[in-house]
Amino acid sequence: MTETITDTVNRFIFKTETFAIFKLDNIVALGDVAGVREGDRLTVTGSWQEHPKYGRQLRVEHWEKPVPSTEEAAADFLSSGLIKGVGPVLAERIVSVLGPNAVSAILEDPDVLKKVKGIGKKAPEIRRQLQETYQVQQVVAELIRLGLTLKTAMKAYMKFGRPAAEYVRRNPYCLTELDLIGFHRADDIARRAGLAPDSSFRVKAGILYVLNESLWDEGHAYLPRDELISRSLTLLNHVEKSVSLDIVEKELSRLKGVHGSAEVSLAWAREYEEEIARDVKRLARQRFDVPPLPRDLIRGIELTPDQNAAVKTALESGFSILTGGPGVGKTQTVRAVIRAFELQNPWGGVFLCAPTGRAARRLSEVTGRQAHTVHKLLGLRNGHADRNRKNPLECDLLILDEASMACLVLTKRLLEAVPNNARILFVGDADQLPSVGPGNILRDLLDKVPTVRLTEIFRQAAESQIVTNAHRINRGQMPLIDRSKTDFIFLEREDPEDIAKCVATCASGMGYDPLDVQVLSPMRKGPVGTAELNKLIQGGMSGPRVKYGQYVFHVGDKVIHTKNNYDKGVFNGDIGIIKKIKMQHDVLVQYSSGLVSYSGDDLRELEPAWAVTVHKAQGSEFKAVIIPVTTSHYVMLHRNLIYTAVTRAREKVILVGTKKALAIAVRNNKPIQRYTALSGLLRDAPRR
């Protein structure tokens, strides 16, 4: 039911949103409201609903700050403290001269305050403050008339300021510069505003949308010109055929912020690839003298010839790569590199890092040394890094583990912070999935810098069906299942619903701690996607719960944190268990690092984690993994995806589905193709 109320703003709570708290018993959420301050009297219109933390509230559809129209109201407003330099005495004098509509008169006439004695040079500043106080609602009202929601209108005002309505009216596609406002939403607003479907604004916005979508959703650093034009035409003509090939080509040639003609990229993405290439060459051209290595670098362990070669390469080279599959001794080799370096450089600084928190903790566990996320190592937040080219890391050896997860942005930030005369070693499995973010860094760097591939499977590892079958899958061979062993199991199910039920049963009935068993699905959507699997596994849970957005969280739920939060000390990919839900919808989550509290909109950083995508599990290991394999995921049936999923397990793998789907995935050796320029830019990088 729509309702309008008027009251005085009592106080603000600043978190991810700004809430105006009225003196009424009701809480009115206004979003990020610029120009509204404590003491303002507002009229708001909206509908009542229940907020997960604050209870009954009015979801605001429109708000305005009425202009005082009586002498008492005008004097109270002017002397309220909102207008600096105007106290009670001066306010009374202004109202006595200008009357009950004093505020309106000042807003309309820049010279009207000259009639008031004693104001003098204060007049322009008083009028400016009044304009600032009231212009927000005027601009927002105009934007709402153009078809924007209140929330979007406020975002537009915060981004563009007073000219926001003029900008949007002229070019609705400027809204794509705002968070969460995509091309399609801007397109709807433009259509209602009557903008021509073949306008220059629309075509340029469409081309940029295609480039951004291919970058962030598919990982392409560029698109071939013909493919970019084809995709752009499909997007721009999805409702009606209104944009020709000639128009797209013409606007592409005029478009700012892009690079290249045959291979078109966003200019900043190309610049990042070029910077990475320059830093790789800068580091790779360095060579270091290495004395003979002792045979017992790691007590009780004799390294293989390939491992010794890898240690020597890492110490001799400014930039090197160590790669290989499971069970080939990458961890031992990394420990040997660190040991050898410290023997030869007792005062040298060794830094260990990984792209995610879970990968960094695992690196710490296997090396016995402190490791950080790349973000924490660099002091990287909100696009700014404390460590950079001007303030490099104080290290002599830097090791990046799980390098296949390193994207274009992270790699650029890391390499520019590595000083001259330092060695850097990338460690990773090049046959795993590429990074979630743009680029294909590890594959592009292979053999462009000194690279050692470990291939010999250690005897103890060879006894594991997980290790042997992972290597079989990587060679394009179907896994062999020895029924006398229990570490690699295939449960045949045909129907997707049966597959989902079987996965859920296995996840809850294996006897492992919830954090030690993980369901890995190729996709988020569909009957065997992570969304449905999480609901299915949660189905039997009871007790305290809290709903936020599309998710319901229970005590005992496994959850994953989805963004880096330095204030809480939790990072993207961290998985924990909900231990308690308090009366005020405060949720306490137990992570390996400790207990963390979430309340209100903090919950937007959590998702259920009984099932996660294979991509989200990169860099993590679990005692057991359960993997649905079905032709309903046909588009995602790639060898490196199933290989990555299998190699997340230490003790047990359970595949649930059809052998036909598994065979399709094993045969499909087409790696996830990404258009990148880095490999070409590195062709003349120093090699061994």
Side-chain angles (χ1 to χ4, degrees):
M1 180 182 74
T2 300
E3 188 171 337
T4 300
I5 62 173
T6 301
D7 199 23
T8 303
V9 177
N10 187 23
R11 63 189 177 90
F12 283 106
I13 298 175
F14 291 98
K15 285 191 177 178
T16 53
E17 290 185 273
T18 304
F19 291 99
I21 311 296
F22 292 113
K23 290 178 180 177
L24 300 172
D25 292 334
N26 312 306
I27 297 172
V28 183
L30 293 175
D32 291 315
V33 182
V36 177
R37 289 169 285 187
E38 184 176 351
D40 281 352
R41 190 167 181 81
L42 299 183
T43 297
V44 295
T45 300
S47 54
W48 292 106
Q49 63 176 219
E50 287 294 319
H51 189 278
K53 178 174 181 179
Y54 298 101
R56 190 168 183 254
Q57 68 166 30
L58 193 72
R59 183 173 181 81
V60 177
E61 297 158 5
H62 176 69
W63 67 273
E64 66 178 30
K65 191 188 302 184
V67 179
S69 56
T70 67
E71 288 189 359
E72 182 182 4
D76 285 346
F77 173 75
L78 289 170
S79 62
S80 66
L82 295 175
I83 310 301
K84 293 180 181 179
V86 179
V89 174
L90 184 54
E92 291 286 353
R93 194 186 311 153
I94 292 171
V95 172
S96 67
V97 174
L98 302 181
N101 294 314
V103 175
S104 296
I106 297 169
L107 289 169
E108 292 168 6
D109 185 354
D111 298 321
V112 72
L113 281 170
K114 292 179 180 178
K115 300 177 183 178
V116 183
K117 291 182 180 179
I119 286 187
K121 295 180 179 179
K122 290 183 180 179
E125 179 60 18
I126 292 172
R127 186 169 187 269
R128 186 196 67 75
Q129 290 183 61
L130 281 175
Q131 285 179 318
E132 187 178 278
T133 298
Y134 283 98
Q135 78 177 15
V136 179
Q137 70 184 51
Q138 296 166 354
V139 173
V140 167
E142 285 187 67
L143 290 169
I144 289 173
R145 284 194 291 272
L146 291 173
L148 278 67
T149 64
L150 174 62
K151 189 172 183 178
T152 307
M154 287 306 307
K155 283 185 177 182
Y157 178 81
M158 298 300 289
K159 173 72 175 178
F160 303 117
R162 192 171 184 179
E166 180 185 339
Y167 287 172
V168 173
R169 193 179 293 108
R170 179 170 174 264
N171 173 20
Y173 299 96
C174 70
L175 293 170
T176 58
E177 297 178 34
L178 308 178
D179 291 340
L180 304 178
I181 308 295
F183 174 83
H184 293 288
R185 194 168 167 195
D187 211 28
D188 289 338
I189 294 169
R191 197 177 299 114
R192 289 196 296 272
L195 196 73
D198 62 348
S199 79
S200 173
F201 291 127
R202 181 170 186 262
V203 176
K204 287 178 179 176
I207 296 170
L208 288 174
Y209 174 81
V210 168
L211 281 173
N212 272 293
E213 187 180 55
S214 69
L215 181 80
W216 296 110
D217 292 352
E218 302 170 48
H220 299 305
Y222 72 84
L223 283 179
R225 182 183 181 87
D226 290 345
E227 185 170 342
L228 171 60
I229 290 173
S230 175
R231 290 192 187 195
S232 299
L233 284 168
T234 300
L235 172 71
L236 294 165
N237 293 321
H238 73 282
V239 175
E240 59 177 316
K241 191 170 182 180
S242 54
V243 179
S244 68
L245 172 63
D246 289 344
I247 291 175
V248 172
E249 288 183 330
K250 181 179 73 174
E251 296 302 341
L252 176 57
S253 66
R254 297 174 174 177
L255 193 58
K256 295 180 180 179
V258 298
H259 173 275
S261 53
E263 298 173 349
V264 185
S265 63
L266 294 169
W268 72 262
R270 174 67 181 201
E271 181 182 328
Y272 273 30
E273 286 195 296
E274 290 173 348
E275 286 193 38
I276 290 171
R278 285 196 293 270
D279 280 321
V280 169
K281 292 175 184 178
R282 168 177 65 87
L283 296 164
R285 70 171 58 102
Q286 300 176 131
R287 287 291 181 267
F288 300 88
D289 294 327
V290 178
L293 300 173
R295 296 187 61 183
D296 57 343
L297 278 171
I298 304 176
R299 184 175 298 176
I301 296 176
E302 186 174 347
L303 300 180
T304 67
D306 282 348
Q307 287 179 306
N308 273 308
V311 174
K312 192 168 184 291
T313 298
L315 297 182
E316 287 180 340
S317 311
F319 200 127
S320 60
I321 292 174
L322 172 64
T323 187
V328 296
K330 292 195 299 295
T331 298
Q332 282 184 4
T333 308
V334 169
R335 290 169 59 199
V337 168
I338 297 169
R339 177 65 178 152
F341 177 82
E342 290 181 335
L343 285 173
Q344 297 172 9
N345 304 272
W347 306 110
V350 179
F351 287 178
L352 308 181
C353 63
T356 66
R358 287 182 67 84
R361 277 194 292 276
R362 181 166 158 259
L363 181 59
S364 291
E365 291 167 4
V366 298
T367 61
R369 296 166 179 269
Q370 187 177 39
H372 297 290
T373 64
V374 176
H375 284 80
K376 186 172 183 180
L377 184 69
L378 300 179
L380 180 60
R381 60 181 74 189
N382 300 323
H384 171 77
D386 295 334
R387 296 294 187 172
N388 48 42
R389 212 175 295 282
K390 293 181 180 179
N391 183 31
L393 295 163
E394 296 170 1
C395 68
D396 299 287
L397 171 64
L398 176 68
I399 298 175
L400 173 71
D401 197 19
E402 297 291 350
S404 63
M405 300 175 67
C407 69
L408 187 65
V409 178
L410 200 67
T411 306
K412 182 258 186 187
R413 293 287 195 182
L414 179 63
L415 294 187
E416 69 183 6
V418 179
N420 293 328
N421 300 318
R423 301 165 173 89
I424 184 166
L425 172 65
F426 274 21
V427 182
D429 187 344
D431 294 317
Q432 288 188 22
L433 290 169
S435 59
V436 175
N440 206 352
I441 302 297
L442 185 59
R443 281 180 175 269
D444 286 346
L445 290 177
L446 285 176
D447 299 319
K448 302 298 189 302
V449 297
T451 300
V452 176
R453 290 177 175 82
L454 300 180
T455 58
E456 182 180 341
I457 303 173
F458 281 76
R459 183 178 59 81
Q460 187 176 358
E463 294 174 359
S464 163
Q465 283 197 107
I466 297 172
V467 172
T468 56
N469 281 330
H471 283 276
R472 286 184 64 83
I473 290 168
N474 205 29
R475 293 193 298 266
Q477 300 170 329
M478 285 288 283
L480 296 176
I481 299 173
D482 184 346
R483 296 185 184 277
S484 67
K485 297 182 178 181
T486 60
D487 60 342
F488 201 99
I489 300 169
F490 193 100
L491 301 177
E492 291 197 60
R493 300 289 188 276
E494 183 77 32
D495 183 74
E497 290 187 5
D498 290 339
I499 294 172
K501 289 177 182 176
C502 184
V503 167
T505 300
C506 290
S508 56
M510 293 179 65
Y512 283 102
D513 182 280
L515 293 177
D516 289 332
V517 60
Q518 187 61 57
V519 176
L520 301 178
S521 178
M523 300 177 72
R524 292 178 65 94
K525 298 180 180 179
V528 197
T530 60
E532 289 302 316
L533 288 172
N534 275 312
K535 290 178 184 176
L536 198 59
I537 297 170
Q538 287 178 314
M541 302 187 75
S542 58
R545 64 182 64 191
V546 60
K547 187 176 189 302
Y548 187 88
Q550 61 181 310
Y551 301 121
V552 177
F553 300 106
H554 311 72
V555 170
D557 247 340
K558 184 161 70 167
V559 292
I560 185 169
H561 191 87
T562 59
K563 63 179 290 187
N564 292 331
N565 188 319
Y566 295 91
D567 294 331
K568 293 184 183 295
V570 284
F571 303 95
N572 185 16
D574 285 352
I575 294 177
I577 301 292
I578 294 178
K579 289 297 183 181
K580 190 173 183 179
I581 296 176
K582 296 181 180 179
M583 292 294 290
Q584 297 300 317
H585 301 299
D586 287 335
V587 175
L588 296 178
V589 180
Q590 181 70 57
Y591 294 100
S592 60
S593 58
L595 202 61
V596 177
S597 175
Y598 295 79
S599 61
D601 289 307
D602 292 344
L603 292 173
R604 71 177 64 186
E605 297 179 3
L606 290 181
E607 291 181 7
W610 298 104
V612 300
T613 61
V614 181
H615 254 124
K616 276 189 180 291
Q618 275 189 274
S620 302
E621 274 193 354
F622 309 91
K623 287 184 178 179
V625 300
I626 306 164
I627 310 162
V629 186
T630 168
T631 52
S632 65
H633 288 159
Y634 187 85
V635 69
M636 294 296 290
L637 291 178
H638 297 279
R639 184 185 299 174
N640 60 354
L641 186 140
I642 200 76
Y643 170 78
T644 301
V646 166
T647 55
R648 299 307 91 206
R650 292 197 304 270
E651 297 178 6
K652 187 185 290 288
V653 168
I654 300 178
L655 299 174
V656 183
T658 67
K659 289 186 177 177
K660 176 184 177 182
L662 180 59
I664 291 170
V666 170
R667 286 197 304 265
N668 184 4
N669 191 32
K670 181 183 178 184
I672 297 176
Q673 182 185 13
R674 291 190 171 183
Y675 296 117
T676 64
L678 181 58
S679 180
L681 293 168
L682 287 170
R683 284 191 187 119
D684 60 344
R687 295 188 184 88
R688 192 174 181 185

